[in-house]
């Protein structure tokens, strides 16, 4: 006789299910796992030659190794083209990176003319249009010659349909204007040029970073005349609503928030950084404080409160630490103890900037480079916990401080462009330029 399932059994199943999915939910978010449809459109014309085509394949495989392939993550498709396009790998046919790589390695070189326009149209009709996933769509066009068909309008149409186009030109036969017409703007972000096929391995890292920025940093922050990819953490944490009191920073146009110990500046990390952070980024904050204890200006905690990332100010030692994940033992803490760090503790306004790359973290205070320190390889961050600002280390208590800016820029180049004009007594770079010219 079959036992009827009781209410308690159902409850137990539900509870167990919740327990399991909570554990599953703690996946590390990073570029490896950011969901995106990525299509490589590869030139297989005569000018490439079989040897160079092997280099292209190896490059493709090396870039693909940086991603977790799967229905929930990134999907990669490949089109090879000469006179006509060939669907080498459709989107979404692979469950694992290894299978996909094996298929990439077995692609045969075509030979023929260069009809790039037709290939982009093909990728649109036969790959992107067939994908049912609503997410970041990226196409990378790799070519070594001028297209023998119309390419401008086809590319414009694809971009209009929310496909982000990168163009990589190889060798001296390339037409720069054509690459610019294919790719998104600004060209400095979406167009690459290398002198020969050997050199494409040199742009592997930057392509990886740029592909990652597309899927991990969907939001833009208006900065001067441009829109920068990144995260305005004050916006992400709803500081405008939570902190009522504003103060004007003397002699500048900048306004700041006066944070008291009564507010809680926390938000689910999932809502702030849904796909984690790219391999390289720039942290910038402008604040003043009197507190003499150790506190986290910014931190990302896992569900069980392990720090994933933190910028910690140590008022006793007068140092600044950067905490991030580590492939070696989960966490690494980099401490900047140079005498210049002491200026942060003079109760005045200061800008802290950290340039984080895959190998180094560099601290800048008020636009001056202070120190550069090596980093071990990092892991993705857990996003099921909280992102917080202004908390005493290891506690939930909010620190009393004033904050004007707290941002993450995804493009490491922003490190060179960021000014300190919100700091009293510092002229902006623009003013400086105007005066010296
Ligand atoms: C791909 O990676 C392998 C192993 O690191 C390396 O030997 C090869 O040169 C790389 N290929 C390209 C084109 O970068
Ligand atoms: C492991 O992490 C801790 C905490 O950051 C650190 O003190 C320690 O040196 C690390 N060990 C290794 C082998 O890196």
């Amino acid at each position: 006789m079959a036992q009827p399932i009781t209410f308690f059994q159902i409850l137990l199943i539900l509870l167990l299910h919740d327990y399991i999915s909570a554990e599953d939910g703690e996946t590390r978010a990073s570029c490896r796992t950011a969901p995106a449809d990525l299509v490589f459109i590869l030139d297989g014309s005569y000018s490439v030659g079989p040897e160079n085509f092997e280099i292209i394949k190896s490059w493709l495989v090396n870039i693909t190794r940086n991603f977790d392939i799967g229905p929930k993550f990134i999907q990669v498709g490949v089109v090879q083209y000469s006179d006509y396009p060939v669907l080498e790998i459709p989107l979404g046919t692979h469950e694992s990176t290894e299978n996909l790589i094996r298929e990439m390695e077995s692609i045969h070189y075509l030979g023929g003319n260069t009809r790039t326009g037709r290939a982009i149209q093909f990728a649109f009709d036969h790959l992107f249009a067939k994908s049912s996933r609503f997410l970041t769509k990226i196409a990378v066009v790799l070519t070594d010659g001028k297209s023998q068909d119309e390419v401008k309008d086809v590319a414009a149409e694809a971009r209009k349909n929310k496909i982000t186009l990168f163009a990589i030109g190889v060798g001296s036969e390339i037409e720069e204007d054509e690459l610019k017409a294919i790719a998104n703007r600004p060209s400095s972000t979406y167009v690459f040029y290398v002198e020969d096929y050997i050199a494409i391995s040199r742009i592997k890292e930057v392509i990886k970073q740029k592909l990652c920025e597309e899927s991990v940093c969907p939001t833009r922050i208006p900065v001067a005349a441009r829109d920068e990819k990144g995260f305005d953490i004050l916006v992400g944490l709803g500081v405008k609503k939570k902190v009522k009191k504003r103060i004007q920073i003397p002699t500048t146009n900048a306004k700041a928030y006066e944070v008291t110990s009564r507010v809680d500046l926390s938000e689910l990390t999932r809502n702030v950084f849904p796909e984690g952070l790219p391999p390289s980024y720039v942290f910038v904050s402008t604040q003043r404080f009197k507190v003499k204890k150790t506190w986290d200006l910014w931190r990302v905690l896992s569900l069980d409160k392990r720090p994933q990332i933190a910028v910690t100010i140590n008022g006793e030692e007068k140092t600044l630490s950067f905490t991030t994940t580590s492939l070696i033992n989960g966490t690494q803490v980099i401490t900047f103890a140079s005498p210049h760090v002491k200026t942060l503790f003079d109760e005045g306004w200061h800008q802290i900037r950290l340039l984080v790359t895959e190998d180094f973290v560099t601290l800048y205070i008020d636009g001056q480079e202070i120190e550069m320190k090596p980093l071990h390889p990092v892991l993705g961050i857990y996003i099921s916990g909280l992102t917080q600002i202004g908390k005493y280390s290891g506690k939930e208590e909010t620190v009393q401080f004033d904050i004007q800016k707290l941002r993450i820029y995804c493009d490491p180049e922003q490190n060179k462009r960021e000014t300190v004009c919100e700091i009293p007594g510092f002229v902006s770079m623009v003013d400086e330029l105007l005066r010296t010219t």
Side-chain angles (χ1 to χ4, degrees):
M1 201 181 82
Q3 286 276 346
I5 298 176
T6 66
F7 170 71
F8 291 103
Q9 278 170 312
I10 292 173
L11 190 67
L12 188 67
I13 291 165
L14 285 176
L15 283 175
L16 271 177
H17 180 265
D18 256 358
Y19 174 74
I20 291 161
S21 53
E23 289 274 288
D24 280 348
E26 274 285 78
T27 49
R28 290 181 182 273
S30 70
C31 297
R32 291 200 71 86
T33 55
D37 282 342
L38 171 60
V39 174
F40 289 93
I41 302 172
L42 307 177
D43 185 345
S45 63
Y46 286 132
S47 55
V48 177
E51 277 158 36
N52 286 333
F53 195 74
E54 288 307 308
I55 298 178
I56 296 176
K57 277 159 61 180
S58 154
W59 177 83
L60 186 61
V61 165
N62 289 358
I63 287 192
T64 305
R65 282 195 201 284
N66 293 297
F67 305 115
D68 287 351
I69 304 300
K72 273 179 20 203
F73 306 131
I74 208 160
Q75 297 281 22
V76 179
V78 180
V79 172
Q80 183 188 180
Y81 72 95
S82 55
D83 289 283
Y84 54 92
V86 173
L87 178 55
E88 301 286 1
I89 302 176
L91 272 175
T93 42
H94 294 88
E95 297 277 321
S96 79
T97 312
E98 284 316 308
N99 281 342
L100 173 65
I101 284 174
R102 224 168 295 134
E103 207 171 322
M104 282 176 173
E105 282 166 345
S106 65
I107 294 175
H108 291 289
Y109 168 57
L110 285 173
N113 289 308
T114 313
R115 296 178 68 175
T116 313
R118 205 171 159 181
I120 295 172
Q121 184 69 50
F122 180 88
F124 181 65
D125 293 341
H126 296 270
L127 288 105
F128 290 113
K130 295 211 166 130
S131 166
S132 54
R133 308 199 304 165
F134 295 96
L135 36 69
T136 312
K137 296 182 189 309
I138 307 167
V140 180
V141 180
L142 181 75
T143 178
D144 75 351
K146 184 172 160 32
S147 179
Q148 282 148 327
D149 66 356
E150 197 288 316
V151 65
K152 268 186 195 154
D153 293 346
V154 178
E157 186 63 22
R159 293 196 307 266
K160 223 170 84 191
N161 282 283
K162 298 258 158 44
I163 294 168
T164 301
L165 274 160
F166 284 89
I168 306 174
V170 184
S172 55
E173 297 301 304
I174 259 331
E175 275 209 359
E176 206 183 317
D177 285 347
E178 188 177 283
L179 295 182
K180 285 183 177 165
I182 293 174
N184 280 59
R185 293 194 178 271
S187 309
S188 56
T189 301
Y190 297 98
V191 176
F192 295 87
Y193 172 78
V194 286
E195 63 271 31
D196 55 34
Y197 282 98
I198 310 279
I200 63 169
S201 58
R202 282 208 297 269
I203 60 166
K204 199 175 60 200
E205 295 304 316
V206 59
I207 292 286
K208 186 177 111 188
Q209 167 77 17
K210 293 292 161 207
L211 291 176
C212 181
E213 286 175 19
E214 290 306 317
S215 44
V216 170
C217 311
T219 52
R220 309 268 163 162
I221 309 174
V223 181
R226 346 173 11 125
D227 274 350
E228 293 296 336
K229 289 198 275 300
F231 304 92
D232 191 325
I233 301 178
L234 296 184
V235 173
L237 265 55
V239 173
K240 212 174 182 171
K241 254 205 227 145
K242 291 177 187 164
V243 180
K244 292 283 175 271
K245 189 123 185 248
R246 305 291 137 86
I247 40 180
Q248 174 89 35
I249 305 184
T251 75
T252 72
N253 285 326
K255 284 229 164 54
Y257 298 96
E258 194 178 310
V259 179
T260 63
S261 54
R262 250 171 279 174
V263 292
D264 173 28
L265 300 175
S266 304
E267 179 59 56
L268 281 174
T269 303
R270 199 181 286 294
N271 298 342
V272 188
F273 308 106
E275 310 298 342
L277 287 166
S280 301
Y281 57 90
V282 183
F283 167 91
V284 184
S285 71
T286 302
Q287 68 291 302
R288 85 177 164 183
F289 58 91
K290 291 186 176 159
V291 42
K292 302 270 181 317
K293 293 187 188 153
T294 299
W295 60 289
D296 297 326
L297 175 58
W298 170 52
R299 71 187 179 203
V300 176
L301 301 177
S302 66
L303 203 52
D304 58 4
K305 307 228 154 115
R306 277 169 297 148
Q308 303 300 296
I309 305 184
V311 174
T312 305
I313 291 171
N314 185 326
E316 288 129 53
E317 315 262 326
K318 303 226 179 349
T319 59
L320 182 142
S321 307
F322 174 66
T323 304
T324 185
T325 53
S326 166
L327 198 61
I328 300 172
N329 73 355
T331 320
Q332 53 187 324
V333 181
I334 288 84
T335 299
F336 296 94
S338 135
H340 296 289
V341 180
K342 288 198 175 73
T343 57
L344 287 178
F345 299 86
D346 67 5
E347 302 185 5
W349 287 100
H350 293 289
Q351 188 196 67
I352 297 171
R353 194 165 85 222
L354 288 162
L355 170 64
V356 182
T357 66
E358 286 185 70
D359 311 308
F360 292 99
V361 51
T362 312
L363 170 68
Y364 298 77
I365 294 176
D366 302 332
Q368 297 293 310
E369 181 174 335
I370 305 298
E371 224 177 339
M372 175 162 142
K373 299 217 167 198
L375 277 181
H376 293 300
V378 302
L379 295 163
I381 56 169
Y382 286 125
I383 56 163
S384 346
L386 294 176
T387 291
Q388 303 180 307
I389 61 172
K391 296 280 183 186
Y392 286 104
S393 291
K395 293 184 187 153
E396 278 302 314
E397 207 184 323
T398 304
V399 171
Q400 192 160 329
F401 72 119
D402 301 329
I403 182 110
Q404 189 264 333
K405 178 198 283 185
L406 206 138
R407 289 172 173 176
I408 302 287
Y409 295 111
C410 293
D411 181 358
E413 287 297 308
Q414 180 62 19
N415 187 51
K416 297 185 196 137
R417 296 192 288 258
E418 188 69 11
T419 64
V420 285
C421 50
E422 70 273 18
I423 305 282
F426 283 86
V427 281
S428 75
M429 237 134 82
V430 182
D431 291 344
E432 194 103 68
L433 279 173
L434 286 176
R435 272 195 305 162
T436 51
T437 50

